[in-house]
């Protein structure tokens, strides 16, 4: 009940903020400025079929785009206790070609706020960062099919264990996703393309074997708050067939 009240207060606060700033939306469009700011308030943080934190999540983001490049930061912070919640702070650099193709490098980081974590530790054997390279086809108006391929190439990916139980090299865990956009909803399917070897002490980053880990449908609509301000609502039904889990997630974007 306490978390529910907290979420309602946040929704009302952001709604009031959006109403007060509605004039700014009229005066300045996103196309006129390379700087983008946004906040998502989600009932759960589900990423590639995995539940991070088992709690509502607030997700701020900021990006700056110029000459096809986008430099950005994104975070996710759960509402539950820092000892059990999952927090995230990412940096990324992307290059887009005619909005059709994009190449992205992302630095994922999950700070452990229950301990004295070191963000600037980039040593191979001890870093908490995960670096990922992504290539994507973003679809066209006539073909609203998007294809994504992502591979971890450095950092705290699930690691092989040597005979002396010291940490070995990363697995280069790889994820692929297909998505098709219809008029009112999107369908998506994500695959774990890595097969961990349990005999070597490997554990899966996305799943324990090759297969589908992220399958679902999402939809969005605008909820009109005032004459000049609407609140985007997103709802997704997500399943992870490999882990036999299902999630119904809702969120607002500001």
């Amino acid at each position: 009940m306490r978390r529910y009240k907290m979420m309602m207060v946040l929704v009302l606060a952001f709604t009031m903020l959006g109403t007060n700033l509605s004039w700014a939306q009229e005066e300045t469009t996103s196309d006129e400025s390379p700087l983008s700011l946004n906040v998502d308030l989600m009932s759960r943080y589900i990423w590639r079929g995995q539940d991070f934190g088992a709690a509502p999540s607030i997700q701020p983001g900021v990006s700056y785009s110029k000459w096809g490049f986008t430099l950005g930061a994104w975070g996710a912070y759960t509402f539950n206790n820092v000892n059990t919640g999952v927090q995230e702070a990412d940096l990324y650099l992307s290059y887009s070609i005619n909005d059709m193709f994009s190449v992205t490098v992302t630095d994922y980081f999950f700070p452990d706020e229950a301990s004295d974590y070191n963000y600037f530790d980039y040593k191979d054997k001890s870093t908490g960062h995960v670096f990922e390279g992504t290539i994507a086809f973003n679809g066209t108006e006539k073909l609203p099919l998007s294809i994504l391929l992502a591979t971890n190439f450095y950092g705290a990916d699930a690691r092989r264990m040597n005979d002396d139980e010291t940490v070995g090299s990363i697995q280069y865990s790889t994820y692929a996703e297909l998505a098709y956009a219809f008029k009112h909803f999107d369908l998506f399917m994500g695959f774990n393309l890595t097969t961990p070897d349990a005999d070597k002490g490997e554990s899966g980053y996305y799943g324990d074997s090759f297969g589908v880990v992220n399958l679902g449908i999402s939809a969005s609509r605008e909820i009109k708050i005032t004459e000049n301000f609407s609140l985007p609502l997103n709802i997704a039904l997500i399943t992870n067939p490999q882990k036999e889990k299902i999630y119904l997630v809702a969120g607002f974007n500001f």
Side-chain angles (χ1 to χ4, degrees), residues 29-71:
T29 64
S30 59
D31 293 335
E32 296 174 349
S33 173
L35 181 66
S36 175
L37 305 173
N38 67 280
V39 176
D40 294 334
L41 182 63
M42 305 300 297
S43 61
R44 281 284 182 97
Y45 174 25
I46 309 297
W47 181 71
R48 297 179 181 176
Q50 302 179 77
D51 184 356
F52 286 79
S57 174
I58 185 168
Q59 301 171 355
V62 57
S63 64
Y64 187 89
S65 301
K66 201 75 171 179
W67 304 308
F69 289 93
T70 298
L71 178 64

Side-chain angles (χ1 to χ4, degrees), residues 82-206:
V82 295
N83 295 312
T84 57
V86 177
Q87 319 303 339
E88 182 174 347
D90 306 332
L91 301 175
Y92 63 90
L93 177 64
S94 179
Y95 181 70
S96 178
I97 305 174
N98 296 326
D99 294 327
M100 186 182 301
F101 298 95
S102 59
V103 179
T104 306
V105 174
T106 303
D107 173 8
Y108 296 100
F109 185 72
F110 301 90
D112 183 2
E113 296 188 352
S115 64
D116 186 20
Y117 68 87
N118 181 4
Y119 178 82
F120 298 99
D121 178 7
Y122 289 96
K123 296 177 182 178
D124 178 46
K125 302 297 189 294
S126 57
T127 183
H129 295 261
V130 176
F131 287 85
E132 175 193 80
T134 301
I135 56 174
F137 170 69
N138 303 313
T140 65
E141 185 176 350
K142 293 183 178 180
L143 181 63
L145 171 69
S146 60
I147 304 172
L148 176 144
L149 183 65
T151 299
N152 297 337
F153 61 87
Y154 184 83
D157 188 359
R159 301 172 185 270
R160 295 182 178 88
M161 304 297 292
N162 299 328
D163 293 337
D164 59 356
E165 297 185 354
T166 59
V167 178
S169 60
I170 68 173
Q171 291 185 101
Y172 297 97
S173 296
T174 303
Y175 175 85
E177 184 173 293
L178 302 175
Y180 194 90
F182 292 89
K183 185 175 181 180
H184 299 294
F185 60 91
D186 297 341
L187 296 176
F188 55 89
M189 179 182 293
F191 306 84
N192 172 36
L193 301 184
T194 307
T195 302
D197 189 340
D199 294 335
K200 294 182 180 179
E202 296 177 354
S203 59
Y205 194 82
Y206 299 108

